[in-house]
Amino acid sequence: MTRAREVIVVGGGLIGSLVAFTLRGAGADVLVLDADRPGAAWRAAAGLLTPDGERLRGTPLHAEALEGLRRWPALAAALERSGVPVHLRPGVTRVQPGGGVACTPGEGSLHPPSVVRAARQGLEVVAAHVQALGPSGGGVRVQTDAGDWFAGQVILAAGAWSGAFGVEVGAQQGQALLLRGAPGVGARYGPPARGFSRYALSRPDGLYVGAASRRSWATTPDAHAARWLRGAARTLVPDADGAEVAAHLVGLRPITPDGLPLVGPHPTLPGVLVAAGHGRHGSLLAPATAARVLALMKQGVSA
């Protein structure tokens, strides 16, 4: 039997969960289908909200990044009404090349796993691998390993796996360490090293050190990345040397050929909106993406 819903969001990560949370807040009947795959980007994301640190000034993403920053306080407050804190922090202290620090007011950080948990409170989330999307009776048929659904509107927000449904999204692996017992250092952001960005961030679950990066679909950690990350930790936070590794995180960042997220109608599937391809900027861009999806739905733009 095919079950019907008004809106189905394919993907329950940071983007999918916040889109679903936003649509539900606007009164939509929303179902989230989440495959819970190893390597989901939100589990390994740092949560930095730093347009300048990410060198977005002067790029096409800068305006959207600033909109995300502007929207985060109100969105965080709405999320925390679920009882789950998202640990939004204003202001970031950045480590400067050659030593010294500089404070960037207005930028900040949050805790992506907590954001996803908070957004999912009150949402119906079903564990299912979506196998196909296709037009059906004026809507969209969603075929999964847990049965079929019908929806008037589908939001494709499956991260790196969105590429399986006819859009140009691939994977860039990111690795990070979560250290336990390291000193609290606030938030620090370091300069590029060996072609990667390195940073250390004090979070509620430990000291986060990131991030090794390469084009790969591998979801298991490797020793080379661990050594590089340990070196980054020693450089940025010398007092953290010797801290216990609580977790070696691996996430697959969803990337597009031009580095710009895909937010809009699917190129070939009527009734499907795409919200994918945010790369390393998902935390920063998510509020603007969720608002844009809601606006498109209100305008009836889906094909």
Side-chain angles (χ1 to χ4, degrees), residues 110-268:
L110 45 71
H111 188 235
S114 295
V115 171
V116 172
R117 286 195 294 270
R120 288 184 177 188
Q121 300 297 309
L123 287 172
E124 184 180 356
V125 181
V126 174
H129 288 250
V130 175
Q131 298 163 332
L133 301 173
S136 177
V140 183
R141 184 184 181 193
V142 183
Q143 297 174 266
T144 85
D145 63 351
D148 292 356
W149 275 267
F150 172 85
Q153 179 73 65
V154 166
I155 314 299
L156 176 59
W161 295 275
S162 300
F165 302 97
V167 293
E168 289 190 275
V169 179
Q172 182 183 66
Q173 184 206 72
Q175 296 190 44
L177 293 182
L178 196 61
L179 303 180
R180 180 183 293 120
V185 295
R188 299 174 183 253
Y189 192 89
R194 301 190 205 174
F196 302 126
S197 294
R198 59 182 182 180
Y199 44 89
L201 177 70
S202 179
R203 305 200 318 184
D205 49 358
L207 179 69
Y208 180 104
V209 181
S213 179
R214 62 175 178 164
R215 291 292 292 268
S216 173
W217 282 89
T219 59
T220 54
D222 64 78
H224 174 76
R227 288 191 296 270
W228 186 89
L229 291 163
R230 273 294 194 181
R234 284 192 296 270
T235 299
L236 294 172
V237 191
D239 291 345
D241 195 23
E244 176 189 357
V245 176
H248 187 158
L249 306 172
V250 181
L252 300 180
R253 298 169 178 143
I255 58 172
T256 60
D258 62 5
L260 300 178
L262 302 177
V263 184
H266 191 284
T268 61

Side-chain angles (χ1 to χ4, degrees), residues 23-187:
L23 297 181
R24 181 175 178 270
D29 171 41
V30 183
L31 170 68
V32 177
L33 300 177
D34 185 52
D36 195 27
R37 297 179 188 272
W42 63 272
R43 292 196 186 90
L48 286 167
L49 307 177
T50 55
D52 287 346
E54 295 292 310
R55 297 174 177 82
L56 295 181
R57 188 179 295 273
T59 75
L61 287 178
H62 191 239
E64 193 171 354
L66 294 180
E67 183 185 352
L69 277 179
R70 181 181 64 80
R71 289 180 176 275
W72 257 122
L75 179 56
L79 289 165
E80 290 184 341
R81 285 196 280 272
S82 69
V84 178
V86 301
H87 306 284
L88 177 66
R89 294 177 177 177
V92 168
T93 301
R94 291 189 288 152
V95 178
Q96 300 291 350
V101 297
C103 183
T104 306
E107 298 193 341
S109 66
L110 45 71
H111 188 235
S114 295
V115 171
V116 172
R117 286 195 294 270
R120 288 184 177 188
Q121 300 297 309
L123 287 172
E124 184 180 356
V125 181
V126 174
H129 288 250
V130 175
Q131 298 163 332
L133 301 173
S136 177
V140 183
R141 184 184 181 193
V142 183
Q143 297 174 266
T144 85
D145 63 351
D148 292 356
W149 275 267
F150 172 85
Q153 179 73 65
V154 166
I155 314 299
L156 176 59
W161 295 275
S162 300
F165 302 97
V167 293
E168 289 190 275
V169 179
Q172 182 183 66
Q173 184 206 72
Q175 296 190 44
L177 293 182
L178 196 61
L179 303 180
R180 180 183 293 120
V185 295

Side-chain angles (χ1 to χ4, degrees), residues 265-296:
H266 191 284
T268 61
L269 293 175
V272 178
L273 289 171
V274 182
H278 293 72
R280 62 183 295 129
H281 309 303
S283 296
L284 185 56
L285 301 177
T289 291
R292 192 167 163 191
V293 169
L294 176 60
L296 288 169

